[in-house]
Amino acid sequence: MIEAVGLTKRYGAKTAVYNLSFQVRPGTVTGFLGPNGSGKSTTMRMILGLDSPTSGHATIAGRPYRQLPNAPRQVGALLDAKAVHGGRSARQHLLSLAQLSGIPARRVDEVLGVVGLQDVAGRRSNGFSLGMGQRLGIAAALLGDPQVLLFDEPVNGLDPEGILWVRNLMKQLASEGRTVFVSSHLMSEMALTAEHLIVIGRGQLLANMSVKEFISANSADFARVRTPDTEPEQREKLTAALGEAGGQITPEPDGALRVTGLPLPRISDLAHAAEVRLWELSPHQASLEEAYMRMTQGAVDYRSTADARAGLQEAPAGYAPQGPVPQGYAGGPGHPAGQPGVPGQVPAGVPGQGQPNPYAQQAPGAVPGPGHPPPAPAQGHPYGAPESYGAPHPYGHQPAAPMPPATPVAPPAAPADQPTPHHEDAR
Amino acid sequence: MAALGQVIRSEWTKIRSVRSTVWTLGIAAVLTIALGMLICILTNHDFQSMPARERLSFDATNISFSGMGLGQLAMIVFGVLVVSNEYSTGMIRASLAAVPQRGTFLFCKLLVATALVFVVGLATSFVAFFAGQAMLGDLRAHLGDPGVLRAVFGGGLYMTLIALFSMAVAVMLRSPMLSLGILMPFFFLISNILGNVSATRKVGRYLPDQAGSKIMQVVTPANSDVPYGPWGGLGIMIAWTVAALLGGYVLLKRRDA
């Protein structure tokens, strides 16, 4: 069991990790997700007692790492696969680590076998590929047969077979009752490996929930409905009917409608009742990767209003740059093909109806930053395109700006005082 | 508490499993011995043509350590690499995660490296002495002569302290490039310049290498006004080393790994 309580790390003016609290339980693989530079590695180093937190603390089995009796036999970690002296052989590297913890030398050959490096054990490690380096790092983490394991980006540089191997290894370790904490910036990988997710962005906790919850909360189902191209009035009729029935309708550039909030049979019934013919009625799912990207970009949004505007410019750029557009109208020609794939405009409510988006990414168990307003949950995603429909786009006149990650981090205290303008704008 | 024995064993594995150990220590020994021998041969040739005053203060023992000025540079490289390798590779994180008691870790690491340097340094010193004396013919000194054994033994101590000082500096600076970039010119140039310019000579003689090398002198140069003796000089060098070690220890304790 790993526990972090109010973990904060500042490097001068830069805050790498802010007020992070979570628990990592034994018996499951816990994924630690966040974009590059979001503070994952810093957090792991603090858990391992390598960096001392500015405030807060991290414990393993109830004790700070440095006070654990015989820590390396209880906790194994892969922090950096390249942290090996290139002139030293894999076996000597592991042997020196084993001796450091009083682990018998024969264990070295065991773990070399486990990671499949037995044939190159005597070779100098500077000839190793990144994948071999990862395997060596994993071997080092396994040396002490520890109950708690931390892996920082273990699948980096691995081939598909290696990724599958790591995935199964993590699951196996967890099924043996161990605590397995794996960081990654790949949502897709974590969805397959982990059972529980801790998502951070810019050093703050964004979500702490099971993968199942995350999926149901984030990968909103939607239906794509297409009416005959030749009869646009049928489409408007259907839009009105579906809207009355409580569905949210987002037009797609190719003329189809993206409908959320209504099951497929109901859509069919409504269309039938309105005497509208359908050319297409198909179920779809927004990908987890999209949901994750929206969530982590939201973290940036949450930090600074300037960022939010920059972010808003991005998604709706092709939609409604010039003020009001009639609701239900796709926004005219000129939409780039493939627009629906842009993250951020996926399942979003029609704000004109004044009701919260049932698919808003904030899910049960999601943790708002303590003391701060949550990052605009339940009000429709801040990047959701719908503001541009039925209401003048508040930022429509502004020039396009680069995406949020380019902007500096605001101090973490700042957002508490700043309004989140999207709430008001969306209504 | 990680047992000292475990950490020492691990450090020994680390030290013997990289080639740089053999190379740096080997070069230090070969340079010191070979250059010492060469200078002894040349001195033996020139002795008759030397001024009488220089002949009077001729120090057969010290002359056989003439190669140490260069040999110590390889010792510095060894000392720096032993420590900064951990940082440049990132291995330090694995090491400190395994041994959260950083003082223990540092102590064991320096102990193993220093012990190795001491053995190599002492052997080098003795070989350099005997080889040098063999080249000096009639001018040779004997190990039983007054002060000679102290000087030869001191040669080994001097090399050990130079390496240990370098390790301590590397603990503070972490980067191998930075450490070597400061230590090499310091010992190779700055110390010599300060020691040879009359205005700064009084300062220069308190630098670790100049003070420490006094231990290898058997005959005090005629015009010498150095205020300390051989052991006093070594004491100054030890003080430098202890100060650097303290600095390194405090920084390692406080710093994020």
Side-chain angles (χ1 to χ4, degrees), chain A residues 156-382:
Chain A
N156 269 9
L158 286 178
D159 52 16
E161 194 246 323
I163 291 175
L164 184 66
W165 170 72
V166 169
R167 196 182 295 157
N168 291 333
L169 178 72
M170 306 279 134
K171 286 178 177 170
Q172 187 204 326
L173 290 168
S175 71
E176 291 163 5
R178 300 174 210 262
T179 306
V180 183
F181 193 38
V182 192
S183 85
S184 176
H185 52 257
L186 298 173
M187 179 68 220
S188 49
E189 178 54 35
M190 281 300 104
L192 291 169
T193 311
E195 287 171 56
H196 195 88
L197 285 181
I198 292 170
V199 184
I200 65 169
R202 297 276 162 136
Q204 298 191 51
L205 195 61
L206 296 180
N208 183 357
M209 63 181 88
S210 76
V211 171
K212 273 189 189 138
E213 280 175 319
F214 188 91
I215 289 174
S216 64
N218 289 291
S219 66
D221 294 333
F222 65 91
R224 178 170 289 136
V225 185
R226 196 184 300 275
T227 52
D229 289 348
T230 46
E231 296 160 68
E233 71 280 357
Q234 288 223 347
R235 199 167 75 142
E236 278 166 35
K237 214 159 131 193
L238 182 65
T239 305
L242 294 178
E244 274 169 36
Q248 284 88 44
I249 302 101
T250 315
E252 295 195 342
D254 63 350
L257 297 172
R258 182 184 279 230
V259 182
T260 52
L262 291 173
L264 261 65
R266 179 108 175 89
I267 295 173
S268 175
D269 291 349
L270 287 165
H272 183 73
E275 296 186 318
V276 174
R277 278 181 295 132
L278 298 182
W279 278 12
E280 182 188 347
L281 176 59
S282 55
H284 293 271
Q285 220 180 29
S287 81
L288 271 186
E289 202 74 38
E290 277 179 12
Y292 163 63
M293 280 173 72
R294 270 186 289 130
M295 177 176 280
T296 50
Q297 284 180 359
V300 181
D301 172 44
Y302 169 35
R303 290 297 189 95
S304 141
T305 21
D307 282 0
R309 295 177 181 205
L312 272 166
Q313 286 299 319
E314 187 81 356
Y319 261 117
Q322 280 93 32
V325 172
Q327 181 168 4
Y329 181 58
H335 288 308
Q339 183 80 339
V342 174
Q345 68 171 79
V346 193
V350 177
Q353 297 176 330
Q355 71 183 86
N357 179 5
Y359 296 100
Q361 84 270 23
Q362 203 75 7
V367 183
H372 300 303
Q379 254 99 10
H381 191 274

Side-chain angles (χ1 to χ4, degrees), chain B residues 6-253:
Chain B
Q6 295 173 5
V7 188
I8 288 171
R9 209 171 301 131
S10 163
E11 288 302 328
W12 175 239
T13 302
K14 282 185 196 168
I15 250 182
R16 69 183 167 80
S17 60
V18 293
R19 292 184 190 175
S20 62
T21 303
V22 175
W23 279 107
T24 50
L25 293 181
I27 288 173
V30 169
L31 266 183
T32 306
I33 295 165
L35 202 63
M37 283 169 72
L38 185 70
I39 290 175
C40 285
I41 293 169
L42 297 177
T43 311
N44 194 20
H45 268 267
D46 290 354
F47 189 73
Q48 294 310 319
S49 55
M50 269 191 209
R53 212 162 61 93
E54 275 189 34
R55 268 191 267 175
L56 268 178
S57 62
F58 178 72
D59 190 340
T61 311
N62 197 29
I63 209 90
S64 58
F65 294 131
S66 305
M68 214 164 266
L70 268 182
Q72 69 177 359
L73 296 184
M75 278 293 180
I76 292 169
V77 175
F78 170 79
V80 166
L81 286 185
V82 157
V83 172
S84 62
N85 268 344
E86 292 263 352
Y87 288 99
S88 59
T89 59
M91 177 104 178
I92 187 75
R93 300 221 170 98
S95 300
L96 289 183
V99 191
Q101 299 79 16
R102 297 187 179 181
T104 308
F105 172 71
L106 183 66
F107 174 77
C108 293
K109 180 170 220 52
L110 298 191
L111 183 74
V112 170
T114 307
L116 179 62
V117 170
F118 180 67
V119 170
V120 173
L122 205 60
T124 304
S125 188
F126 272 90
V127 174
F129 173 76
F130 286 118
Q133 300 315 310
M135 300 300 127
L136 282 172
D138 296 338
L139 301 170
R140 62 187 302 164
H142 296 273
L143 208 54
D145 294 349
V148 170
L149 185 60
R150 179 259 299 156
V152 177
F153 193 76
L157 284 180
Y158 174 82
M159 283 194 132
T160 309
L161 284 169
I162 279 280
L164 185 57
F165 180 74
S166 307
M167 290 178 221
V169 169
V171 173
M172 289 192 275
L173 298 178
R174 296 190 278 191
S175 148
M177 287 302 147
L178 192 61
S179 307
L180 288 176
I182 287 177
L183 286 170
M184 292 290 232
F186 181 81
F187 283 120
F188 197 61
L189 292 174
I190 298 172
S191 169
N192 281 335
I193 293 168
L194 288 181
N196 286 320
V197 176
S198 53
T200 55
R201 189 172 294 154
K202 285 196 162 60
V203 182
R205 66 168 67 121
Y206 289 102
L207 291 175
D209 59 330
Q210 296 207 11
S213 58
K214 185 89 170 132
I215 191 88
M216 292 177 281
Q217 284 180 6
V218 174
V219 183
T220 313
N223 55 351
S224 168
D225 58 345
V226 177
Y228 50 77
W231 291 110
L234 198 74
I236 293 172
M237 192 182 191
I238 290 173
W240 276 90
T241 309
V242 168
L245 285 171
L246 277 177
Y249 173 74
V250 169
L251 281 176
L252 181 72
K253 268 293 227 206

